[in-house]
């Protein structure tokens, strides 16, 4: 064939029935999926593999040099054709430049005529007429492929909407056996995608599913790369063939919602089995392929084949939506929906029957997730695509092209693609880090195990040794005899195996009464066992990859650690400030992050044993497994998890303060509860333990919280400008550092009062900002209105401005005479209930910190001793829990803040008013004491003086209006000399009112008058050019 690299765009046959039979299964009522037998090119029938390409090229003026570039790119495609090809160009009219082109040089040598307008219809008509002439000579033998390229809308001659249906009728009449495929290339947003799709809809008889519905370039400079992509698609079809497929009963569905057809021309790529969806009351029992009858047998449901066939129908539906004016969306949905439901029912049945009990661990967990994801997402994805296709409506060519090719302009999708590109290397690094962490965990887990053994009593050690036999018992006795001498890094293989395989951990759980800690209610593994699973299944990157882990989220499903379920309420600001969240609940029953991530990604709802749905976990350094959990938590894999919990985004982690924020809010949620259980208090201590261990690894964070505690101890300001992002930070510092010298000042009345006031101001700010839709100025207005309401401050009670011709007295004098009384009104706003509700969690937290400080003082050793006891087991620190649980009676607000109970209403009103009026950091310095009676009077005076200022401002506006009128009247009455005297040397030196008053007076005499000329002479040239006539402006001062 010489240069002809003939691809299999040719007729193909199966030579005899022995090569296979068709398979069929039901896909909904009266709907069947028919899989044809494998169709391969006939080797002995003497037919030549024949394909011809026909290029229809836009040569309008807007194409410019792009026409030549496109011609040269088309030249590269001709090598994939076996028959003579053609090139037709169109501008004002169409012209066939060559119809027997065989080599790339033949096309490149063609000279393009003069460019002009855009007559797409004539270009396509010329190409179709040439193809039909060839087809009449040899019917049904050659596969013709028509390429249509244009960069603009049709603007001369009959429109494509008029021409293409006529061409389709012409083809049916003259060449009923024609095998024609249409490829559309659109260049720039000016091209009309719908015309291209109309051409495919009307003219195409053989769809090429291996190619895009349209090849689209946003700009002509992108055209070469788009055509290169097209060339790659044509090249990939090299092992395909054509077949004519017919049914005796029923029909093939080409487009959902349209009538089925008895016969289709199909292009089969490679060795794949072609699938069709057939509409028939009964299953077809035979199919005719290129004149050969093949039997069809009933087969098992194949969800992969069903999904592929449905996807092809939805793609055809997209093309119809864009290219056809007559489209029945309801009929399309009515046909497709039962098909999708049948596939969904099958997948859910398979999922319910699938059990993965034989193989446990990360790989099995991941396999189960992928099975669930397939069942859950396959049908949903198809149904969403169907709904999107039916609902699509746009006349924009770019939008249409993106819709046809599946691309979108959603910013989230773009961000995900960018993240996937940027983090391609990052994922590999993450896998390496998980594997290296596993190596560190191996030794750390052994050490944690040895520490537990060292704490066993002699009786417990003897009981442990008696439970094993043989060599394991001997090795265990050596470990139990002197655990402190065990070399966890250099121990022999038998001892290492016994320590690593979980045997010793299980013995400890049985003999020592659960000293290995609680287990996840999802995986039923303890923290030690969960991390041991990490070591076993992720010790090498190749081990992780071979398990099918391909993304960072799948890595989170593969390995994990135990944490406490939490309910997190997020705000958009959490991405910038992680303390802008709220944790409403912390559940006591732990769960493991790997199982939870797997369940959530599979869209399975997980409930806590205590009730409520679980979506997030608080991961802690665990005193039951201190060294290993500390190493695991430092793995950057859990930076991703922290980012997900806080921001619902894998890649928003910004530092350890995000983890501290979760610790702080979870702690406040527990100790801010009025009736905490011992389990709640235990978790609170574990949170403090964890954050102290994190501080050991990040000294700067420890220093930051030490400074925050110092601010509280010294009764300094606690605003955001002073470095306090949230009051939960102060409560965390007060609790986790309660054994520090001078910490008692942090629970004294002045410190508690400052905490209470700061908490109220932040709650008020959030409250009014949310009401005002985030507008700061509107939030201030709402806050002032609320305070005026419950204090009874009205406009009538404020000082009034003097008469128009009377000067105002000094502000100090007015303020001295201002009314100071208030009339508290609970019906306008229940300020007392609001204050008590918002401050109660703070008082509960202070009571917990006070009780914990007393407990540590009584037992001695402070937090360091408590940490050691927590690592020793629950019994070692049960006294602390008992003491704190019995001493958490919360002081009432008057007692905690040191004021009399009789003044509660007044103080609450003052607290609420001050918090609402001074909610920003810049307003909260040097504020008067809310406990003083005069503070409320000062607030009332401030509100009334603000009203007085409004009265004065209104008076000034009225005065300026009067002054303007007086000035204008005087100027109109003045002669030219007096007018010039009023102007002075330069008009722009006047006040705003005088300037415009004089200009109005000048215009009153007309633009040609002396006063206008005099004014413009003393005005800037810009003013004269803008407001004066040309003759006036020319004489103005420059």
């Amino acid at each position: 064939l010489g240069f002809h690299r003939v691809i299999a765009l040719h007729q193909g046959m199966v030579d005899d029935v022995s090569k296979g039979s068709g398979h069929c299964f039901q896909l909904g009522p009266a709907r069947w999926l028919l899989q044809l037998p494998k169709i391969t090119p006939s080797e002995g029938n003497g037919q030549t593999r024949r394909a011809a390409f026909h290029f229809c090229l836009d040569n309008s003026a807007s194409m410019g040099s792009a026409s030549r570039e496109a011609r040269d790119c088309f030249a590269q495609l001709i090598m994939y054709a076996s028959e003579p090809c053609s090139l037709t160009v169109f501008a004002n009219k169409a012209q066939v430049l060559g119809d027997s082109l065989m080599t790339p040089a033949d096309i490149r040598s063609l000279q393009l005529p003069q460019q002009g307008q855009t007559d797409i219809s004539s270009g396509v008509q010329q190409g179709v007429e040439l193809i039909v002439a060839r087809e009449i000579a040899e019917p049904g033998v050659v596969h013709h492929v028509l390429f249509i390229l244009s960069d603009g809308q049709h603007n001369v001659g009959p429109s494509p909407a008029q021409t293409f249906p006529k061409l389709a009728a012409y083809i049916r009449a003259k060449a009923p056996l024609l095998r024609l495929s249409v490829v559309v290339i659109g260049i720039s947003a000016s091209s009309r995608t719908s015309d291209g799709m109309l051409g495919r809809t009307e003219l195409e008889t053989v769809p090429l599913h291996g190619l895009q519905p349209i090849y689209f370039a946003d700009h002509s400079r992108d055209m070469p790369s788009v055509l290169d992509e097209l060339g790659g698609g044509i090249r990939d079809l090299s092992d395909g063939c054509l077949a004519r497929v017919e049914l005796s009963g029923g029909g093939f569905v080409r487009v959902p919602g349209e009538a089925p057809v008895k016969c289709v021309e199909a292009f089969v790529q490679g060795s794949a089995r072609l699938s069709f969806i057939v509409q028939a009351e009964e299953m077809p029992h035979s199919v005719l392929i290129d004149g050969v009858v093949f039997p069809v047998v009933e087969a098992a449901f194949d969800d992969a084949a069903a999904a592929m066939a449905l996807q092809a129908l939805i793609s055809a539906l997209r093309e119809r939506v864009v290219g056809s004016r007559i489209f029945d969306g309801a009929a399309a949905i009515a046909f497709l929906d039962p098909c999708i439901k049948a596939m969904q029912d099958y997948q859910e049945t398979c999922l319910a029957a699938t059990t993965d009990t034989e193989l446990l661990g990360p790989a099995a967990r991941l396999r189960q997730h992928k099975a669930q994801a397939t069942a859950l997402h396959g049908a949903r994805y198809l149904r969403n695509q169907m709904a999107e296709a039916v609902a699509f409506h746009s006349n924009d060519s770019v939008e249409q092209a993106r819709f046809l090719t599946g691309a979108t302009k959603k910013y989230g999708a773009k961000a995900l693609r960018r993240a996937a590109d940027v983090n391609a290397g990052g994922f590999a690094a993450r896998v390496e880090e998980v594997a290296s962490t596993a190596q560190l965990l191996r030794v750390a887990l052994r050490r944690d195990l040895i520490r537990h053994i060292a704490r066993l009593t002699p009786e417990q050690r003897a009981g442990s040794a008696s439970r094993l036999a043989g060599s394991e018992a001997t090795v265990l006795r050596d470990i139990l005899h002197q655990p402190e001498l065990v070399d966890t890094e250099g121990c022999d293989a038998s001892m290492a195996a016994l320590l690593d395989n979980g045997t010793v951990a299980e013995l400890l759980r049985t003999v020592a009464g659960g000293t290995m800690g609680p287990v996840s209610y999802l995986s039923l593994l303890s923290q030690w066992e969960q991390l041991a699973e990490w070591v076993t299944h992720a010790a090498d990157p190749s081990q992780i990859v071979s398990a099918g882990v391909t993304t960072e989220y799948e890595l989170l499903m593969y390995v994990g650690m135990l944490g406490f379920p939490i309910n997190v309420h997020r705000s958009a600001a959490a991405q910038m400030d992680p303390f802008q969240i709220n944790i409403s609940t912390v559940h006591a029953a732990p769960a493991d992050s790997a199982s939870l991530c797997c369940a959530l990604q599979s869209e399975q709802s997980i409930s806590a044993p205590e009730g409520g749905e679980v979506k997030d976990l608080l991961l802690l350094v665990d005193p039951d497994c201190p060294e290993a959990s500390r190493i695991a938590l430092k793995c950057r894999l859990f930076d991703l998890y922290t980012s997900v919990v806080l921001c619902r985004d894998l890649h928003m982690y910004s530092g350890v303060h995000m983890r501290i924020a979760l610790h702080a809010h979870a702690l406040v949620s527990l100790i801010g509860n009025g009736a905490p259980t011992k389990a709640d208090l235990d978790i609170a201590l574990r949170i403090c333990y964890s954050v102290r261990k994190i501080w050991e690894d990040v000294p700067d964070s420890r220093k930051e919280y030490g400074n925050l505690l110092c601010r509280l101890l010294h009764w300094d300001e606690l605003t955001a400008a002073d470095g306090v992002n949230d009051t939960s930070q102060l409560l965390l510092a007060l609790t986790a550092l309660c054994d520090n010298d001078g910490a008692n000042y942090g629970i004294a009345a002045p410190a508690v009062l400052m905490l209470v006031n700061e908490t109220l101001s932040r709650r008020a700010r959030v409250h009014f900002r949310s009401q005002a839709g985030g507008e700061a100025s509107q939030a201030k207005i709402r806050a002032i209105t609320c305070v005026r309401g419950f204090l009874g401050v009205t406009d009538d009670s404020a000082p009034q401005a003097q008469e128009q011709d009377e000067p105002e007295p000094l502000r100090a004098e007015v303020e001295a005479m201002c009314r100071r009384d208030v009339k508290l009104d609970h019906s306008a706003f229940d300020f007392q209930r609001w204050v008590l509700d918002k401050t109660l969690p703070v008082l509960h937290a202070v009571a917990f910190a006070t009780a914990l400080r007393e407990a540590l003082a009584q037992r001695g050793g402070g937090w360091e001793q408590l940490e050691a006891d927590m690592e020793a087991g629950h019994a070692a620190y049960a006294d602390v829990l008992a003491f704190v649980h019995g001493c958490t009676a919360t002081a009432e607000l008057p007692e905690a803040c040191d004021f009399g109970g009789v003044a509660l209403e007044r103080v609450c009103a003052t607290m609420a008013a001050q918090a609402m009026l001074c909610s920003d950091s810049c307003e909260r310095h040097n504020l008067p004491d809310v406990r003083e009676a005069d503070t409320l009077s000062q607030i009332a005076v401030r509100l009334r003086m603000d009203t007085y200022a409004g009265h004065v401002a209104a008076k000034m506006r009225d005065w300026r209006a009067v002054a303007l009128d007086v000035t204008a009247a005087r100027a109109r009455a003045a002669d030219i000399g007096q007018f010039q005297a009023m102007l002075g040397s330069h008009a722009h030196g006047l006040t705003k009112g005088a300037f415009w008053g004089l200009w109005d007076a000048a215009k009153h005499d007309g633009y040609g008058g002396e006063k206008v000329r005099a004014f413009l002479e003393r005005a800037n040239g810009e003013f004269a050019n803008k407001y004066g006539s040309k003759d006036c402006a020319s004489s103005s001062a420059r």
Side-chain angles (χ1 to χ4, degrees):
L1 294 176
F3 61 84
H4 296 299
R5 295 177 56 192
V6 184
I7 67 169
L9 291 170
H10 55 274
Q11 181 172 357
M13 295 180 60
V14 179
D15 290 329
D16 53 59
V17 178
S18 65
K19 289 192 176 181
S21 58
H23 294 168
C24 190
F25 57 85
Q26 192 162 15
L27 193 62
R31 295 158 175 82
W32 307 86
L33 190 137
L34 174 62
Q35 289 182 295
L36 301 184
K38 289 187 178 180
I39 301 175
T40 56
S42 173
E43 299 295 341
N45 59 5
Q47 295 184 7
T48 305
R49 303 171 179 179
R50 303 172 67 181
F53 292 170
H54 305 276
F55 304 105
C56 190
L57 174 61
D58 186 347
N59 191 41
S60 61
S62 60
M63 284 286 289
S65 61
S67 295
R68 291 191 300 274
E69 288 185 70
R71 178 201 62 190
D72 295 343
C73 290
F74 282 158
Q76 299 301 317
L77 297 180
I78 200 172
M79 68 177 66
Y80 299 116
S82 62
E83 299 297 303
C85 300
S86 69
L87 174 63
T88 301
V89 297
F90 58 87
N92 294 351
K93 63 179 182 177
Q95 180 180 351
V96 178
L97 299 185
D99 60 0
S100 57
L101 308 172
M102 298 296 293
T103 68
D106 289 345
I107 293 185
R108 292 194 187 98
S109 65
L110 297 174
Q111 296 299 314
L112 299 180
Q114 183 177 356
Q115 295 179 319
Q117 293 181 287
T118 307
D119 187 357
I120 297 175
S121 297
S122 65
V124 175
Q125 182 172 342
Q126 288 272 20
V128 168
E129 289 174 352
L130 188 152
I131 292 170
V132 169
R134 293 263 193 96
E135 179 67 15
I136 292 174
E138 296 180 285
V141 175
V142 179
H143 180 200
H144 298 275
V145 183
L146 176 63
F147 297 83
I148 306 173
L149 184 151
S150 177
D151 79 331
Q153 296 186 18
H154 176 91
N155 55 25
V156 62
S159 69
Q162 295 173 312
T163 304
F164 290 171
K166 294 179 181 178
L167 289 177
Y170 174 72
I171 290 173
R172 288 192 295 271
K174 296 291 186 180
L177 300 180
L178 175 63
R179 293 175 164 182
L180 175 63
S181 301
V182 178
V183 179
V184 179
I185 306 107
I187 309 300
S188 84
S190 298
S191 63
R192 190 171 172 83
T193 300
S194 58
D195 285 345
M197 291 304 102
L198 179 62
R200 284 175 60 97
T201 299
E202 296 289 348
L203 306 178
E204 187 171 64
T205 62
V206 182
L208 295 178
H209 295 299
L211 300 182
Q212 295 280 6
I214 183 172
Y215 287 85
F216 187 83
D218 289 322
H219 193 275
S220 59
R221 62 173 173 267
D222 302 320
M223 182 183 68
S225 62
V226 170
L227 292 177
D228 284 345
E229 181 185 356
L230 170 61
I234 295 293
R235 184 176 59 252
D236 291 341
L237 300 179
S238 60
D239 57 350
C241 60
L242 285 177
R244 191 184 309 276
V245 187
E246 300 173 75
L247 278 178
S248 58
F252 299 104
V253 178
R254 295 189 62 179
V255 179
E258 296 183 5
V261 296
K262 292 286 187 180
C263 176
V264 294
E265 298 283 357
F267 183 85
V268 187
Q269 186 172 353
S271 59
R273 299 187 68 158
L274 192 64
S275 297
F276 290 100
I277 293 180
V278 174
Q279 189 169 354
E281 292 299 324
E282 296 182 356
M283 187 191 89
H285 295 285
S286 64
V287 62
L288 195 68
I289 305 176
D290 283 338
V292 180
V293 177
F294 289 86
V296 175
V297 298
E298 188 170 3
F301 198 102
D302 185 342
D303 57 334
M308 187 176 299
L310 288 170
Q311 185 66 66
L313 283 189
I314 292 173
S315 296
L317 183 61
R318 289 174 181 268
E319 294 184 33
R320 276 294 191 273
V321 170
V322 173
S324 176
R325 294 182 179 179
I326 304 173
F327 168 71
D328 190 344
I333 293 175
F335 179 83
L336 283 173
D337 197 61
C339 300
I340 297 173
K341 186 178 185 303
M343 187 183 81
Q344 183 178 10
D345 291 344
Y346 170 80
Q347 291 176 333
E348 289 178 351
T349 302
C350 291
L351 180 61
T354 301
T355 57
D356 206 354
T357 56
E358 295 183 3
L359 292 174
L360 300 176
R365 182 166 55 240
L366 199 58
R367 283 197 300 274
Q368 187 177 17
H369 155 70
K370 290 186 175 181
Q372 291 168 339
T374 300
L376 289 168
H377 295 300
R380 181 178 301 172
Y381 178 70
L382 289 172
R383 192 169 277 115
N384 288 344
Q385 279 198 316
M386 174 186 69
E388 179 192 38
V390 172
F392 179 80
H393 177 74
S394 175
N395 292 322
D396 181 81
S397 290
V398 178
E399 290 290 339
Q400 291 173 341
R402 286 173 173 161
F403 168 70
L404 289 167
T405 57
T408 75
K409 295 202 312 184
K410 295 286 186 184
Y411 296 116
K414 288 186 176 181
L416 286 174
R417 288 196 293 270
R418 285 197 299 268
D421 293 338
V422 171
N423 292 292
F427 170 69
R430 202 77 74 214
V431 170
E432 291 282 352
E433 186 175 11
V434 167
S436 63
T437 300
Q439 300 299 329
L440 298 174
L441 283 174
R442 188 186 304 277
V443 176
L445 286 168
R446 293 174 185 172
R447 289 174 180 159
D448 286 336
L449 206 56
I450 292 299
R451 291 190 188 96
H452 281 286
I453 293 174
R455 299 187 189 106
L456 297 178
T457 64
E459 293 78 10
Q460 289 173 329
R461 295 189 189 190
S464 300
S466 65
R467 290 175 179 270
L468 294 180
S471 59
E472 285 189 339
T474 304
V475 175
L476 181 59
R477 279 192 291 272
D478 292 339
I479 296 174
L480 293 173
H481 179 59
Q482 287 184 312
E484 64 276 3
L485 298 181
V486 174
D487 182 1
T488 52
E489 294 187 54
C491 56
D492 58 43
S494 59
M495 183 175 291
L498 191 63
L499 291 173
D500 295 342
N501 63 15
T503 303
V504 176
E506 183 61 30
L507 281 175
L508 287 174
R509 180 185 295 176
T510 304
V511 175
T515 60
M516 294 305 294
V519 299
S520 163
Y521 70 88
L522 297 178
S523 66
L524 302 182
L525 300 179
S526 67
Q527 185 76 278
W528 191 94
E529 292 165 328
Q530 195 76 43
L531 296 178
E533 180 187 79
W534 183 337
V535 172
T536 302
H537 296 277
D540 185 82
S542 61
Q543 189 179 13
I544 300 172
V545 173
S546 64
V549 179
T550 57
T551 66
E552 288 161 322
Y553 201 93
E554 287 182 357
L555 202 53
L556 284 169
M557 294 187 283
Y558 190 70
V559 297
M561 59 187 298
L562 265 62
F564 292 102
I566 54 178
N567 291 342
V568 183
H569 305 276
R570 301 164 189 84
S571 71
Q575 294 186 355
M576 301 299 294
D577 179 5
F579 286 94
Q580 300 305 308
I581 62 167
N582 180 48
I583 294 178
S584 59
T585 310
V586 181
H587 295 288
D592 66 286
S593 62
S595 298
L596 182 62
C597 287
C598 186
L600 295 178
Q601 189 72 355
S602 302
E603 298 191 13
Q604 290 184 327
S605 177
I606 299 297
S607 297
E610 304 93 332
E613 189 176 1
V614 175
K615 293 184 178 180
D616 300 290
L617 296 178
L618 173 66
L619 303 182
L620 304 174
V621 178
D622 191 345
D624 296 322
C625 199
E627 185 173 346
S629 62
R630 188 170 175 177
I631 289 173
L633 199 59
K634 286 191 286 186
C635 179
R636 283 189 293 175
L637 177 66
F638 293 116
D639 294 351
L640 301 180
Y641 184 75
T642 302
S643 177
V644 169
V645 172
L646 276 165
C647 309
R648 285 295 181 258
D649 190 299
L650 276 171
H651 303 289
M652 292 300 294
Y653 186 78
S654 56
V656 71
H657 61 286
M658 297 186 80
R659 295 188 180 186
I660 301 294
L662 290 173
H663 281 66
H665 281 286
L667 177 66
V668 172
S669 174
L670 292 164
I671 65 177
N673 181 4
T677 63
K678 283 190 176 181
D680 292 335
L681 298 178
D682 185 30
I683 299 173
L685 292 182
R686 288 173 175 265
I687 291 173
C688 293
Y689 171 92
S690 177
V691 82
R692 287 175 63 87
K693 295 302 178 184
I694 292 175
W695 284 341
E696 289 180 14
D697 295 324
V698 189
D700 287 345
S701 180
R702 167 66 175 80
K703 182 179 179 181
E704 175 190 356
Y705 280 81
N707 292 336
L708 291 179
L709 181 62
C710 287
R711 296 195 69 84
L712 189 61
L713 302 184
H714 297 154
W715 307 337
D716 290 335
E717 305 292 348
L718 304 175
T719 69
D722 299 307
V724 183
N725 294 317
D726 190 78
T727 51
S728 62
Q729 292 178 281
L730 299 167
L731 296 173
L732 175 65
L734 187 62
T735 306
L737 303 174
C738 65
D739 59 338
N740 281 19
D741 292 339
N744 57 306
Y745 292 107
I747 54 180
V752 175
L753 180 62
M754 297 193 70
L755 259 176
V756 164
N757 284 334
E758 187 62 29
T759 300
L760 290 174
S761 74
R762 292 174 188 242
R763 298 296 180 270
R765 188 170 188 267
V766 171
H767 174 73
F768 290 112
R769 282 286 181 95
S770 63
Q771 284 189 346
E775 290 289 337
S777 58
Q778 288 299 315
K780 279 293 183 186
I781 293 172
R782 288 176 177 268
I784 293 170
T785 303
C786 180
V787 174
R788 287 169 61 91
F790 70 75
L791 293 187
V793 174
T794 63
D795 288 352
D796 294 340
S797 66
Q800 301 299 312
Q802 299 296 315
E803 294 297 330
Q804 191 70 255
D805 55 349
E806 294 291 331
E808 293 296 322
L810 294 175
R811 183 178 176 85
E813 295 176 4
V814 178
E815 187 170 335
M817 299 298 293
C818 184
R819 287 175 53 179
R820 308 174 65 83
D821 60 298
V822 296
K823 185 179 181 180
L824 299 180
D825 183 2
H826 291 267
S827 63
F829 179 77
D830 194 349
F831 57 87
Q832 185 168 330
R833 175 51 51 199
W834 182 78
V835 168
L836 295 177
D837 286 346
K838 300 303 181 185
T839 58
L840 193 57
V842 176
L843 300 182
H844 288 324
V846 171
F848 173 83
T850 303
L852 181 59
R853 177 175 170 80
E854 291 179 9
L856 296 183
Q858 287 183 12
R859 73 199 309 262
W863 256 109
E864 289 187 6
Q865 182 60 46
L866 179 57
E867 289 172 3
D869 292 340
M870 292 177 71
E871 293 172 4
H874 187 274
Y877 67 101
D879 60 312
V880 176
L881 288 175
F883 182 88
V884 173
H885 188 258
C887 298
T888 52
T890 303
E892 297 293 333
L893 185 63
E895 180 185 353
C897 296
D898 192 23
F899 63 87
V902 294
L904 179 62
E905 183 186 40
R906 173 181 54 78
V907 174
C908 285
T910 309
M911 285 181 169
Q914 190 180 84
M916 294 175 180
L917 296 176
C918 305
S919 59
D920 294 333
S921 296
C922 59
E923 301 168 324
R924 297 201 56 76
H925 290 276
N926 303 316
L927 292 175
D929 193 333
V930 294
R931 297 171 296 186
E932 298 292 334
D934 188 55
T935 302
L936 190 59
S937 298
Q938 292 178 31
I939 292 173
V941 169
R942 169 187 166 180
L943 292 172
R944 291 188 172 103
M945 289 301 294
D946 288 344
T947 302
Y948 166 72
H951 293 329
V952 173
K955 172 186 172 181
M956 294 301 295
R957 284 194 300 272
D958 293 342
W959 184 87
R960 290 191 188 96
V962 171
L964 178 60
D965 291 342
V966 170
T967 301
R970 286 179 57 203
R972 281 196 292 269
D975 59 26
I976 185 60
Q978 292 170 329
F979 184 81
Q980 290 175 333
M982 293 174 72
L983 276 173
S985 62
H986 193 60
H988 293 282
L990 300 169
T991 64
K992 181 178 179 181
F995 180 91
W996 291 108
L998 291 174
W999 174 241
D1000 286 340
K1003 291 190 297 179
H1004 186 266
D1005 288 349
Y1007 273 96
E1010 292 180 321
K1011 290 181 181 178
V1012 168
R1013 293 182 179 276
F1015 192 98
L1016 293 176
E1017 286 174 359
R1018 289 167 172 77
N1020 290 336
E1022 290 78 7
F1023 179 88
N1025 289 327
K1026 184 174 182 180
Y1027 292 99
S1029 60
K1030 291 183 178 180
D1031 58 328
C1032 293
S1034 63
S1035 63
S1036 65
R1038 294 294 189 267

